[in-house]
């Protein structure tokens, strides 16, 4: 895989460089609530612009249905990119139409443009190779060189991720090169003890990675909504807590395999419960109760790991040489149920080992809860991509960057 460093050494002055970024930021109307993904691509965009390239930045945002939708416009992201760069960023109001063509043609050396949301064109996400290829052909006409730097999208077989690199000289940007280097530390020659903390809502989202980790990790700490399916699989009463009943057989098999393989699979010993799910917008105070994990009342719902579990998980992370964390421990968006996620984040900071926050909601939680991002070894920009890499899958966007 060639990297941007090789491209820069070859010279990019005057060349149109297409940067497939991940600007899929959360929006409240037109206000960006977390600009982490924009900041993550800055090193690549700035390096290219400083070297005299004419930089064309492209990304998706949200899930529009193959047609323009103002709610998913990249205009706020383009404006924020300009603020972070300290220079004007041109914005094309379409992807491969008249505006995109004119905007790119109007770039001078060292200038940057953002084209509109790639998913406004049905060809971006089409499962039909010909339709995807036709869209990739039109994107290729906008550039001379391709730089892949949208790690959060590399697990998607989309036109701008998979098909476009085949049509242009292609390189990995700084972000993708960093992400791949970090993930290799979690899969090849791992320093031990290797501890993985998994949370989030659905156990089904994590089954494949748990399957892989049962042969690689020394400890698995389970939290979040997915923990209640594990507790139910052990025969515990979980009340109204989130449950994926169809996953119980798989979870039981994993519990047995963990014991057989000598992998310490750690479940909550207590939990914060409430009779009503909290209002995440109003964030009005609630009155959670702490109960043992095997004694959740029938009319209550588990919403965060309890204080004893926080201490337990911190102790299990204290001697780790390598840590991977993906998924919050509770409903961290509400202050009454954020302490479990805070405790795990702080335990990563306190750990002497190499710590990786696996993107998605975990990365959002780190920023939302006010932690210093520099205190972690690495914060990934792609939760789904990170998990699929750890599952051992071939990621289309990475395969497309290989020579």
């Amino acid at each position: 895989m060639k990297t941007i460093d090789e491209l820069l050494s070859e010279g990019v002055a005057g060349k149109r460089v297409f940067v497939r970024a991940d600007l899929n930021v959360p929006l409240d109307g037109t206000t960006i609530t977390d600009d982490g993904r924009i900041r993550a691509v800055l090193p690549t965009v700035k390096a290219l612009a400083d070297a005299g390239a004419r930089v064309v930045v492209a990304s998706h945002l949200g899930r529009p249905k193959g047609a323009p939708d103002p709610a998913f416009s990249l205009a706020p992201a383009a404006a924020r990119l300009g603020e972070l760069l300290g220079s004007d960023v041109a914005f094309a109001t379409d992807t491969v139409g008249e505006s995109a063509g004119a905007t790119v043609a109007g770039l001078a050396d060292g200038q940057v443009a953002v084209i509109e949301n790639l998913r406004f064109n049905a060809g971006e996400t089409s499962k039909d190779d010909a339709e995807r290829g036709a869209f990739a052909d039109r994107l290729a006409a906008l550039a001379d060189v391709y730089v892949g730097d949208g790690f959060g999208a590399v697990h998607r077989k989309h036109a701008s991720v998979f098909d476009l690199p085949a049509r242009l000289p292609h390189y990995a940007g700084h972000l993708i090169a960093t992400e791949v280097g970090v993930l290799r530390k979690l899969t090849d020659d791992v320093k031990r003890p290797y501890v993985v903390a998994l949370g989030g809502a659905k156990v089904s989202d994590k089954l494949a990675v748990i399957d892989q980790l049962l042969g690689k990790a020394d400890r698995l700490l389970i939290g979040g909504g997915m923990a209640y399916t594990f507790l139910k699989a052990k025969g515990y009463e979980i009340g109204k807590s989130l449950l994926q009943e169809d996953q119980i057989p798989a979870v039981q098999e994993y519990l047995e395999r963990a014991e057989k393989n000598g992998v310490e699979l750690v479940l909550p010993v207590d939990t914060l419960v409430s009779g009503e799910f909290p209002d995440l917008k109003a964030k009005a105070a609630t009155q959670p109760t702490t109960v043992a994990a095997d004694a959740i009342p029938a009319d209550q719902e588990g919403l965060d790991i309890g204080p004893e579990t926080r201490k337990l998980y911190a102790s299990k992370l204290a001697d780790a040489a390598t840590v991977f964390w993906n998924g919050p421990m509770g409903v961290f968006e509400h202050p009454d149920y954020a302490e479990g996620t805070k405790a795990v984040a702080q335990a990563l900071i306190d750990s002497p080992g190499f710590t990786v926050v696996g993107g998605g909601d975990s990365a959002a939680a780190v920023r939302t809860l006010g932690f210093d991002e520099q205190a972690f070894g690495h914060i990934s920009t792609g939760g789904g991509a990170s998990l699929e890499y750890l599952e051992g899958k071939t990621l289309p966007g990475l395969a497309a960057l290989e020579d």
Side-chain angles (χ1 to χ4, degrees):
M1 183 185 295
K2 290 184 178 179
T3 69
I4 187 174
D5 290 333
E6 294 171 81
L7 172 61
L8 292 169
S9 70
E10 295 165 6
V12 293
K15 291 183 179 179
R16 300 170 303 162
V17 180
F18 188 104
V19 177
R20 202 326 180 166
D22 179 8
L23 308 181
N24 185 26
V25 292
L27 294 172
D28 183 0
T30 58
T31 302
I32 296 170
T33 57
D34 181 355
D35 67 358
R37 284 177 170 160
I38 301 175
R39 287 185 285 111
V41 79
L42 273 180
T44 289
V45 174
K46 191 173 187 311
L48 290 167
D50 288 349
R54 302 177 183 193
V55 187
V56 182
V57 180
S59 176
H60 69 287
L61 191 151
R63 297 178 182 271
K65 301 186 184 301
D69 182 338
F72 297 106
S73 175
L74 276 175
R80 181 58 180 151
L81 179 61
E83 291 171 359
L84 293 169
L85 286 170
S87 59
D88 290 338
V89 168
F91 181 66
T93 56
D94 56 26
T95 55
V96 289
E98 187 175 325
S99 178
T103 300
V104 174
L107 289 176
D109 292 2
Q111 290 187 329
V112 179
V114 174
I115 63 173
E116 187 54 285
N117 192 335
L118 292 163
R119 291 184 182 174
F120 285 2
N121 189 304
E124 169 68 1
T125 59
S126 176
K127 290 189 166 92
D128 182 85
D129 291 350
E131 184 178 12
R132 258 196 350 269
F135 183 47
D137 287 339
R138 297 184 70 187
L139 290 172
L142 298 173
D144 305 303
V145 181
Y146 177 92
V147 172
D149 215 31
F151 181 73
V154 294
H155 58 315
R156 307 295 187 192
K157 192 176 181 181
H158 291 170
S160 65
V161 176
F162 179 74
D163 302 273
L164 183 55
R167 289 158 167 78
L168 294 169
H170 46 269
Y171 302 80
H174 289 308
L175 175 61
I176 280 187
T178 298
E179 293 272 15
V180 171
V182 166
L183 289 171
R184 282 177 178 157
K185 290 184 180 181
L186 301 178
T187 53
D188 305 327
D189 194 25
V190 181
K191 292 183 179 179
R192 299 184 179 281
Y194 177 20
V195 185
V196 177
L198 295 176
K202 294 181 178 180
V203 69
S204 56
D205 293 341
K206 305 290 197 308
L207 283 180
V209 75
I210 292 172
D211 184 67
Q212 286 292 315
L213 290 169
L214 286 174
K216 294 177 180 175
D218 298 299
R219 293 181 203 130
L220 290 178
L221 314 181
I222 306 295
M226 63 183 282
Y228 300 103
T229 299
F230 276 84
L231 295 173
K232 186 70 172 180
K234 289 178 70 70
Y236 296 168
E237 170 59 57
I238 64 165
K240 298 193 301 181
S241 305
L242 188 63
L243 171 65
Q244 287 188 286
E245 197 159 3
D246 62 324
Q247 303 299 331
I248 287 177
V251 168
Q252 288 173 329
E253 192 269 326
Y254 287 166
L255 289 167
E256 293 169 5
R257 182 144 50 103
E259 186 173 0
K260 180 181 177 181
N261 290 357
V263 176
E264 195 178 354
L265 199 156
V266 189
L267 298 177
V269 295
D270 62 349
T271 185
L272 266 62
V273 300
S274 174
E276 189 175 343
F277 195 84
D279 184 332
L280 298 183
K281 286 194 174 179
K283 295 186 179 175
T286 66
Q287 294 183 322
T289 304
T290 301
V291 300
D294 60 354
I296 299 174
D299 63 344
Q300 301 283 298
E301 178 178 6
L303 297 169
D304 192 16
I305 58 173
E308 293 305 314
T309 304
R310 291 173 221 153
K311 293 178 191 174
L312 174 64
Y313 285 11
S315 72
K316 297 296 183 182
L317 290 161
D319 67 342
T322 304
V323 182
F324 176 73
W325 169 37
N326 180 279
M329 295 291 109
V331 186
F332 75 91
E333 299 90 342
H334 192 285
D336 290 347
Y337 306 99
E339 293 304 315
T341 301
K342 282 183 183 178
V344 168
Q346 187 62 52
L348 262 71
I349 292 173
D350 295 340
S351 169
F354 179 62
T355 57
V356 179
V357 180
D361 287 342
S362 309
V366 163
R367 289 187 277 268
T368 300
L369 298 175
F371 288 96
D372 179 5
E373 294 181 52
Q374 302 304 314
F376 301 88
H378 178 71
I379 298 180
S380 178
T381 56
S386 295
L387 288 176
E388 291 198 15
Y389 189 99
L390 294 183
E391 289 167 22
K393 289 185 177 179
T394 297
L395 305 187
L398 296 184
L401 293 176
E402 298 287 351
D403 293 314

